[in-house]
Amino acid sequence: MKALVSIVIPHYNSSNLIRRLLSSLVIKEKDILEIIIVDDKSSSIEKENLERVVAEFPLNISLYQNNTSKKGAGVCRNIGLEQVNSPWILFADSDDHFVENFYNHIKPYLATDFDIVYFMPTSQDENGIVTTRHLTYAKPIEEYLEKKDPSKLKYNISVVWSKLYRTEMVRKHNIMFDSTLSSNDVLFSIKCDFFAETFAVERKVIYSWDFNSNSITTSMSKKRFSDVYDVYIRENNFYRENLSSIEYKKIRNSAAKLSGIALVRYKFGFFYSLGLFIKLIGNKLVPIRLTDIKIDRLSNFFRNNQFYKKEVD
């Protein structure tokens, strides 16, 4: 039987964590899933351990290596995309996992012609306790389900997990991941939102974004933050060039948002953050949006700062 869903997983030195992810993918209809793991130049010991872990599971798993000159999850995901042989794609990180019965939740959509299906995410800490870090991505889904306003959803979820993508749509528009170390999935996400002609939104949860204190997403250096800055500018340019003026005003990025992240979340200092703010204004970003200061968003932002830290360059 040909697989219906390909699950693309970048891996880097986390063979001890990927076992949980693979365990969550063991389902009765195992031939339905095609699991594509792309190792991102892990150490030789980690590669050996990964091969041992993969061999433990009765799953359709293909293991590839990133042999390009670049590193990063985006590069690995692009390699994985080239190997996809099924009509649907899910993305996962090696230190996360799918929730119980996830397949039963996606199964009804495999016979549809939607371009994207959005699912509600959840998150856990290193002790398996549910956290609040996923609420940033759950809120747009909640708002859409309440108001049925696509502007509440589209372009507001910049991660690729917890979404089911139609392979045909991704390939038709040649949508690829950036090769940056940080924010490599942002433009992929917004381009899929832009080109998707049809979509569905599901309240059921399929994916847990698990906190890993050693993950590249939990710490940030000024060097890697330059990637975030670059993607932020290109994201805003994409909105301005492709959306109507009314749509653009609703979704455009602001200088205050990214500068606030640099100052408060990663503690890069006042002068660095001020300089960033000025550079963003120079790149035609508005100083601030009303949504930047909504109480619920600010509350969630400060509550989730515990999951992030500054990394020394």
Side-chain angles (χ1 to χ4, degrees):
M1 179 185 294
K2 181 181 178 181
L4 294 179
V5 183
S6 296
I7 303 178
V8 178
I9 307 167
H11 169 273
Y12 175 68
N13 285 352
S14 55
S15 59
N16 60 320
L17 296 172
I18 201 171
R19 180 179 279 106
R20 183 183 189 188
L21 171 61
L22 296 179
S23 295
S24 72
L25 294 174
V26 176
I27 61 173
K28 183 178 180 181
E29 305 92 336
K30 62 179 181 179
D31 293 334
I32 296 296
L33 303 180
E34 171 190 53
I35 301 168
I36 301 169
I37 302 174
V38 184
D39 183 74
D40 192 24
K41 305 178 188 291
S42 295
S43 68
S44 57
I45 294 177
E46 281 286 337
K47 288 180 182 179
E48 292 174 3
N49 289 340
L50 176 62
E51 291 175 357
R52 291 194 192 97
V53 171
V54 166
E56 295 176 12
F57 294 92
L59 295 167
N60 178 19
I61 303 176
S62 298
L63 181 57
Y64 298 90
Q65 298 294 325
N66 173 12
N67 294 319
T68 72
S69 60
K70 296 183 177 181
K71 279 179 58 64
V75 176
C76 291
R77 286 168 175 153
N78 285 336
I79 294 171
L81 281 175
E82 293 176 356
Q83 305 302 325
V84 167
N85 291 304
S86 60
W88 295 96
I89 307 170
L90 288 170
F91 295 98
D93 290 335
S94 59
D95 52 359
D96 296 335
H97 74 281
F98 287 87
V99 303
E100 188 176 0
N101 294 323
F102 86 94
Y103 178 69
N104 291 334
H105 299 331
I106 69 171
K107 186 176 180 179
Y109 294 97
L110 301 183
T112 69
D113 59 359
F114 293 116
D115 287 324
I116 306 177
V117 183
Y118 301 82
F119 292 87
M120 190 75 75
T122 187
S123 59
Q124 292 184 5
D125 65 15
E126 291 172 303
N127 295 313
I129 299 172
V130 176
T131 73
T132 59
R133 67 196 299 248
H134 68 281
L135 295 182
T136 299
Y137 306 115
K139 186 68 173 177
I141 292 177
E142 292 174 349
E143 290 183 343
Y144 174 80
L145 291 172
E146 178 184 349
K147 302 177 181 179
K148 301 301 180 182
D149 180 358
S151 69
K152 301 294 183 182
L153 175 73
K154 298 187 76 172
Y155 315 117
N156 282 309
I157 305 177
S158 59
V159 292
V160 292
W161 38 256
S162 207
K163 301 174 189 175
L164 184 65
Y165 295 92
R166 178 173 288 282
T167 305
E168 181 182 3
M169 184 268 293
V170 174
R171 288 185 169 158
K172 176 182 177 180
H173 299 287
N174 193 31
I175 306 173
M176 305 287 284
F177 288 86
D178 280 334
S179 58
T180 56
L181 286 177
S182 298
S183 298
N184 55 75
D185 53 351
V186 171
L187 286 166
F188 182 95
S189 295
I190 68 170
K191 287 179 180 179
C192 286
D193 283 349
F194 177 77
F195 287 113
E197 296 180 4
T198 58
F199 67 90
V201 182
E202 176 61 66
R203 192 179 297 277
K204 291 173 180 161
V205 176
I206 66 166
Y207 191 83
S208 178
W209 182 32
D210 297 336
F211 175 67
N212 173 12
S213 57
N214 295 315
S215 171
I216 190 173
T217 62
T218 62
S219 61
M220 183 64 66
S221 67
K222 289 180 180 178
K223 182 178 180 181
R224 282 201 297 111
F225 199 73
S226 64
D227 284 343
V228 178
Y229 168 84
D230 174 66
V231 171
Y232 198 70
I233 294 293
R234 289 191 289 119
E235 176 188 7
N236 195 68
N237 289 342
F238 182 88
Y239 295 147
R240 186 171 58 246
E241 294 165 6
N242 292 280
L243 304 183
S244 69
S245 58
I246 294 175
E247 288 178 307
Y248 174 62
K249 286 181 179 179
K250 287 182 179 180
I251 202 68
R252 59 186 173 179
N253 289 339
S254 72
K257 180 179 177 180
L258 193 64
S259 301
I261 290 173
L263 178 65
V264 179
R265 174 157 291 173
Y266 296 119
K267 299 178 174 58
F268 288 155
F270 174 78
F271 291 107
Y272 175 91
S273 302
L274 177 61
L276 181 68
F277 182 85
I278 294 171
K279 286 171 63 179
L280 290 166
I281 294 295
N283 277 279
K284 300 180 181 180
L285 272 73
V286 293
I288 193 169
R289 296 172 56 212
L290 290 178
T291 53
D292 294 336
I293 54 176
K294 287 181 66 175
I295 297 301
D296 59 336
R297 295 197 179 190
L298 286 173
S299 175
N300 190 55
F301 173 77
F302 284 105
R303 183 168 54 236
N304 286 344
N305 280 344
Q306 63 180 303
F307 300 114
Y308 301 90
K309 60 186 177 183
K310 177 181 178 181
E311 178 185 298
V312 178
D313 286 288

